[in-house]
mmCIF file of all heavy atoms in Angstrom:
data_model
loop_
_atom_site.group_PDB
_atom_site.id
_atom_site.type_symbol
_atom_site.label_atom_id
_atom_site.label_comp_id
_atom_site.label_asym_id
_atom_site.label_seq_id
_atom_site.Cartn_x
_atom_site.Cartn_y
_atom_site.Cartn_z
ATOM 1 N N MET A 1 -42.645 -29.210 29.408
ATOM 2 C CA MET A 1 -41.895 -30.245 28.691
ATOM 3 C C MET A 1 -42.087 -31.600 29.364
ATOM 4 O O MET A 1 -42.050 -31.721 30.581
ATOM 5 C CB MET A 1 -40.400 -29.896 28.661
ATOM 6 C CG MET A 1 -39.537 -30.965 27.999
ATOM 7 S SD MET A 1 -37.763 -30.567 28.045
ATOM 8 C CE MET A 1 -37.704 -29.153 26.971
ATOM 9 N N LEU A 14 -29.954 -36.062 27.228
ATOM 10 C CA LEU A 14 -29.784 -37.362 26.575
ATOM 11 C C LEU A 14 -28.489 -38.038 27.010
ATOM 12 O O LEU A 14 -28.486 -39.222 27.382
ATOM 13 C CB LEU A 14 -29.796 -37.191 25.053
ATOM 14 C CG LEU A 14 -31.131 -36.824 24.410
ATOM 15 C CD1 LEU A 14 -30.948 -36.588 22.906
ATOM 16 C CD2 LEU A 14 -32.174 -37.919 24.639
ATOM 17 N N THR A 98 -29.279 -27.124 -11.098
ATOM 18 C CA THR A 98 -28.026 -27.268 -11.834
ATOM 19 C C THR A 98 -27.100 -28.306 -11.207
ATOM 20 O O THR A 98 -26.081 -28.649 -11.798
ATOM 21 C CB THR A 98 -27.269 -25.927 -11.893
ATOM 22 O OG1 THR A 98 -26.814 -25.572 -10.577
ATOM 23 C CG2 THR A 98 -28.152 -24.820 -12.436
ATOM 24 N N PRO A 110 -17.526 -30.317 8.931
ATOM 25 C CA PRO A 110 -18.507 -30.466 10.021
ATOM 26 C C PRO A 110 -19.092 -31.865 10.093
ATOM 27 O O PRO A 110 -19.269 -32.420 11.190
ATOM 28 C CB PRO A 110 -19.593 -29.435 9.675
ATOM 29 C CG PRO A 110 -18.934 -28.473 8.758
ATOM 30 C CD PRO A 110 -17.930 -29.262 7.989
ATOM 31 N N LYS A 124 -30.326 -34.097 5.858
ATOM 32 C CA LYS A 124 -30.002 -32.773 5.363
ATOM 33 C C LYS A 124 -31.217 -31.856 5.451
ATOM 34 O O LYS A 124 -32.340 -32.262 5.196
ATOM 35 C CB LYS A 124 -29.556 -32.853 3.886
ATOM 36 C CG LYS A 124 -28.432 -33.841 3.595
ATOM 37 C CD LYS A 124 -27.114 -33.375 4.160
ATOM 38 C CE LYS A 124 -26.558 -32.195 3.404
ATOM 39 N NZ LYS A 124 -26.194 -32.488 2.006
ATOM 40 N N PHE A 198 -14.891 -15.889 12.348
ATOM 41 C CA PHE A 198 -14.531 -16.472 11.057
ATOM 42 C C PHE A 198 -13.284 -17.350 11.189
ATOM 43 O O PHE A 198 -12.309 -16.975 11.835
ATOM 44 C CB PHE A 198 -14.264 -15.365 10.040
ATOM 45 C CG PHE A 198 -13.872 -15.867 8.690
ATOM 46 C CD1 PHE A 198 -14.820 -16.371 7.823
ATOM 47 C CD2 PHE A 198 -12.537 -15.872 8.291
ATOM 48 C CE1 PHE A 198 -14.466 -16.847 6.578
ATOM 49 C CE2 PHE A 198 -12.170 -16.348 7.044
ATOM 50 C CZ PHE A 198 -13.135 -16.840 6.187
ATOM 51 N N ARG A 234 -13.026 -26.804 15.511
ATOM 52 C CA ARG A 234 -11.638 -27.249 15.617
ATOM 53 C C ARG A 234 -10.930 -27.010 14.283
ATOM 54 O O ARG A 234 -11.542 -27.058 13.229
ATOM 55 C CB ARG A 234 -11.570 -28.752 15.967
ATOM 56 C CG ARG A 234 -12.232 -29.099 17.286
ATOM 57 C CD ARG A 234 -11.524 -28.463 18.463
ATOM 58 N NE ARG A 234 -12.295 -28.576 19.721
ATOM 59 C CZ ARG A 234 -12.370 -27.629 20.631
ATOM 60 N NH1 ARG A 234 -11.739 -26.482 20.443
ATOM 61 N NH2 ARG A 234 -13.070 -27.793 21.738
ATOM 62 N N ALA A 334 -30.765 -20.970 -17.247
ATOM 63 C CA ALA A 334 -32.229 -20.910 -17.279
ATOM 64 C C ALA A 334 -32.850 -21.592 -16.069
ATOM 65 O O ALA A 334 -34.018 -21.352 -15.753
ATOM 66 C CB ALA A 334 -32.743 -21.550 -18.569
ATOM 67 N N PRO A 396 -40.939 -8.659 2.160
ATOM 68 C CA PRO A 396 -42.345 -8.597 2.559
ATOM 69 C C PRO A 396 -43.201 -7.986 1.454
ATOM 70 O O PRO A 396 -42.867 -6.920 0.927
ATOM 71 C CB PRO A 396 -42.318 -7.685 3.800
ATOM 72 C CG PRO A 396 -40.927 -7.794 4.317
ATOM 73 C CD PRO A 396 -40.064 -7.963 3.123
ATOM 74 N N PRO A 420 -17.903 -12.696 16.017
ATOM 75 C CA PRO A 420 -18.948 -13.603 16.502
ATOM 76 C C PRO A 420 -20.237 -12.838 16.786
ATOM 77 O O PRO A 420 -20.212 -11.701 17.263
ATOM 78 C CB PRO A 420 -18.358 -14.174 17.787
ATOM 79 C CG PRO A 420 -17.426 -13.107 18.276
ATOM 80 C CD PRO A 420 -16.845 -12.481 17.037
#
Side-chain angles (χ1 to χ4, degrees):
M1 177 183 293
L14 290 176
T98 68
K124 307 290 289 295
F198 179 77
R234 300 295 169 218

